[in-house]
Amino acid sequence: MKDSPKGTAAGPAALLWRAALAAAPVCGIGLLPWLSRTDPALTVLKARSAERDPAPEVLAAVRAELGLDDGPLRLLGRWLGGLLRGDAGRSWVSGTEVLPAVLQALGVSLLLMAGALAVAGCTAGAVCARTLWLGSRRRLAGRGAGGSAAAALAALPEFLLAAVLAAVVGVRLGWLPALGWYGPKWTVLPALALGLPAGAVLGRLLGDQLPGAFAEPWARAAAARGLPPRRAARYALRRCLPGTLPNLGLFVVGLTGGAVAVEQVFDIPGLGRLTLRAALAQDLPVLQTGTLALVLLAALAGALARLAARRLLGPALRDGALTSPHRPEPPPARALPLLYGALPAGVVCLGLPRDPLAVDTAARLHPPSAAHPLGTDALGRDLLARIAHGALDTLALALAVSAAALVAGVLLGLLPRLSAPLVDTVNAVPPVLAGLLVAGAVGGGPWTPALAVAAVAWSPLAAHTSALLRQERATTHLAAARALGAGRRHLLRRHLLPAVLPPVVRHALLRVPGIALALAALGFLGLGAQPPSPEWGLLLAENLPYAERAPWAVLAPAAVLALLGALAVTAADGVRLPRPPRRARRAGHPPARPPFPSVPPQAGPPAAPREPVPATAREDAP
């Protein structure tokens, strides 16, 4: 059960597995025109000039120019052969060289990603500040993790934040530029739109682990020996970061290629926008090169995140000197989940009897009133009715996708050697591109966003499961159970799964609003439900152009999404480590070995002790 240095080395089989996984999305993209059963010559012709007549001789000339009659395999072989020589071909639409355009777009996306990560780090620090302050002063007993405001922020759509920031800060107040990409000032608003939700999610993941870290023996001994609170907080952060770093690596790729909606709002020439345009125009050389760049970035980010996690854990991971950071005591009873759940439920119950499709042109964009409690949209339709009827489809899909992602993430996370390369590859495919691939394979429709999001939503949970499993295998109580003769099945059922499942389930509940947002983003980009459906993504996309004139048309569905995020987080706080069986409680578990020498009982004053540090901060003794 314990990882060995030899087992973790990247052998030829692991490299071959990674190469095959990296080639899979690129080859799948090469089949996109044939999977969608459309004429790629017609799509390329329309992308070049929408007014040009698609006569048969014109389409034949396009096919001959692009070599489409040779079939997808020969096209893919020619592209790969040129790529080995440093030539990714020319764009089918513009005729320009692909590699310089992709590298330029990648540079823009990396700069935007760096700004978004800085915002995310500050946001995560603000979310964890209260827990760090209380925990470093030994005042966390009986207190929940909190973070409802962060959950509401994490549940806000990135494209909605981008549109509000562009309209209010950029246009109305004029503080920062709202469109374009010409210098550092143009990065502030899109970095805020991307970094605030990502930082809220990362802060919640860290805040979920911090109470357990402050309950470890080193923290109790540190407080008894007078360690300054600031240093105790820093040690606790270092103890919890290894479990969060794999998801941070996933955010790096998500903020690079998955920022399509934000790039669309701010007119940023990034890699996500470039690949989206190439996918819509079926410009295969651009699309394949952009996807390959994302796959390589995902592999690099994942490897660096895993290496950093191992360095932070230090010799304690190798020596089995860690303690389980999960609190066994149940959280205090809270009424907030009932409040956060009652408000959306009330909206749904009040809106279901109303007709979501009834059009009243005389009541266009009316503000909230007795007749229309949440106002009306641009066609005079009642927003309360549309939000209520859209909630059934949106939430049902989000919960179904979340449940499937949880099961797949846990099962694959228990097999880290198999799943780590798969997580990196899957995370490199943005949900928008996955939606296009799914739409090409099975056709469009209301189920297309669900299939696309389900194909990528399990990867953060698998990465979290693998990170926690790696730490749990190096705990002292697991070594004691092995010494007593426990088998692998017993260790998995009684020790590993009870310790890993609760935080992963809490993580999955935290992701429910994010999955609803991914579905909404696909609807916002036109890949989901079509009018007049009241699906929330389509609802936001329809009302966003009227946000300045009728802000209630956008704020109402956004407020429901924020309440959904707060409900998910407060409900997740109730998922805790199950109590051990009655026989184990009577027999007693072996005590966990502290990660530093404890002070032996003695008469008289003790000798000057060394400053305690957690096991993750120690180095090997000479």
Side-chain angles (χ1 to χ4, degrees):
M1 299 294 290
K2 186 176 178 180
D3 292 337
S4 64
K6 183 179 179 180
T8 57
L15 293 177
L16 184 62
W17 173 236
R18 283 187 176 274
L21 289 175
V26 177
C27 296
I29 288 169
L31 299 174
L32 181 61
W34 290 267
L35 288 175
S36 59
R37 296 173 292 276
T38 59
D39 187 357
L42 178 61
T43 307
V44 171
L45 181 64
K46 290 297 183 182
R48 289 177 176 179
S49 177
E51 295 82 11
R52 194 171 179 183
D53 182 26
E57 58 274 11
V58 176
L59 294 178
V62 173
R63 291 192 191 95
E65 176 190 353
L66 303 179
L68 294 175
D69 293 333
D70 296 338
L73 295 182
R74 289 190 178 181
L75 285 175
L76 181 62
R78 285 201 296 266
W79 177 78
L80 289 175
L83 194 64
L84 295 176
R85 301 188 301 270
D87 180 15
R90 291 185 173 272
S91 169
W92 287 0
V93 176
S94 64
T96 59
E97 292 188 6
V98 171
L99 195 58
V102 170
L103 291 179
Q104 182 179 1
L106 178 61
V108 171
S109 293
L110 290 178
L111 181 59
L112 177 59
M113 177 265 293
L117 281 182
V119 173
C122 296
T123 306
V127 172
C128 297
R130 172 181 173 272
T131 306
L132 284 172
W133 193 88
L134 292 174
S136 61
R137 288 160 175 80
R138 311 297 297 168
R139 300 179 186 176
L140 266 180
R143 296 178 183 266
S148 299
L153 179 61
L156 290 179
E158 294 170 349
F159 61 85
L160 179 60
L161 281 177
V164 171
L165 289 173
V168 177
V169 180
V171 176
R172 177 166 294 184
L173 299 177
W175 292 347
L176 292 167
L179 294 175
W181 188 263
Y182 305 104
K185 290 195 302 183
W186 278 263
T187 66
V188 176
L189 293 183
L192 287 173
L194 288 171
L196 288 175
V201 174
L202 288 174
R204 280 297 310 171
L205 291 179
L206 270 177
D208 183 60
Q209 300 180 59
L210 283 172
F214 282 119
E216 289 184 344
W218 72 264
R220 295 194 296 269
R225 295 179 181 184
L227 190 72
R230 182 177 301 178
R231 189 167 297 177
R234 188 168 70 247
Y235 288 153
L237 270 180
R238 181 171 180 173
R239 176 66 180 91
C240 297
L241 275 177
T244 312
L245 279 176
N247 275 278
L248 180 61
L250 300 185
F251 273 113
V252 167
V253 185
L255 294 175
T256 305
V260 181
V262 174
E263 292 175 356
Q264 290 280 81
V265 171
F266 288 101
D267 195 22
I268 298 174
L271 188 59
R273 189 182 181 196
L274 181 68
T275 53
L276 175 62
R277 289 183 172 181
L280 294 176
Q282 295 188 356
D283 192 353
L284 293 189
V286 176
L287 184 58
Q288 288 172 324
T289 308
T291 304
L292 181 61
L294 287 175
V295 169
L296 295 177
L297 177 64
L300 178 62
L304 290 177
R306 287 188 289 271
L307 178 62
R310 288 184 175 275
R311 294 289 297 174
L312 285 174
L313 288 173
L317 180 66
R318 183 195 61 205
D319 298 338
L322 293 175
T323 54
S324 182
H326 312 301
R327 294 189 303 181
E329 67 269 12
R334 303 176 66 188
L336 283 178
L338 299 178
L339 175 62
Y340 291 140
L343 293 176
V347 171
V348 172
C349 293
L350 291 175
L352 283 180
R354 298 169 178 258
D355 186 2
L357 305 179
V359 175
D360 184 5
T361 55
R364 296 177 64 251
L365 298 177
H366 275 198
S369 61
H372 304 287
L374 297 182
T376 60
D377 64 4
L379 296 179
R381 295 174 296 191
D382 186 67
L383 281 175
L384 178 61
R386 293 185 64 75
I387 291 174
H389 285 265
L392 299 180
D393 296 334
T394 304
L395 295 183
L397 280 178
L399 290 174
V401 171
S402 300
L406 175 61
V407 173
V410 170
L411 292 179
L412 289 173
L414 293 176
L415 305 171
R417 296 182 185 178
L418 172 69
S419 63
L422 189 59
V423 166
D424 294 340
T425 304
V426 167
N427 186 60
V429 181
V432 174
L433 183 55
L436 290 172
L437 291 174
V438 172
V442 302
W447 289 100
T448 299
L451 294 175
V453 174
V456 298
W458 59 269
S459 57
L461 302 176
H464 196 191
T465 301
S466 297
L468 295 178
L469 184 68
R470 186 183 303 115
Q471 296 184 56
E472 199 65 30
R473 283 174 169 173
T475 53
T476 53
H477 72 86
L478 203 71
R482 285 198 205 96
L484 293 175
R488 291 192 174 189
R489 183 176 299 179
H490 176 85
L491 293 176
L492 181 66
R493 188 176 70 253
R494 293 295 181 89
H495 295 272
L496 295 177
L497 283 181
V500 170
L501 276 181
V504 176
V505 171
R506 294 196 295 271
H507 185 184
L509 288 174
L510 180 63
R511 292 274 177 178
V512 171
I515 289 176
L517 293 183
L519 298 172
L522 291 175
F524 172 76
L525 295 170
L527 298 176
Q530 300 300 316
S533 170
E535 194 268 335
W536 284 358
L538 184 60
L539 193 64
L540 288 167
E542 290 175 342
N543 295 321
L544 198 56
Y546 309 98
E548 190 171 354
R549 178 183 171 187
W552 55 85
V554 174
L555 292 178
V560 178
L561 275 172
L563 287 173
L564 174 63
L567 171 63
V569 169
T570 52
D573 286 340
V575 181
R576 290 294 167 191
L577 187 69
R579 299 179 66 186
R582 186 175 301 176
R583 285 185 306 170
R585 290 202 303 270
R586 285 200 302 263
H589 288 289
R593 178 162 51 93
F596 49 83
S598 57
V599 181
Q602 55 185 355
R610 293 184 300 170
E611 197 172 71
V613 293
T616 57
R618 291 191 349 221
E619 299 294 337
D620 281 324

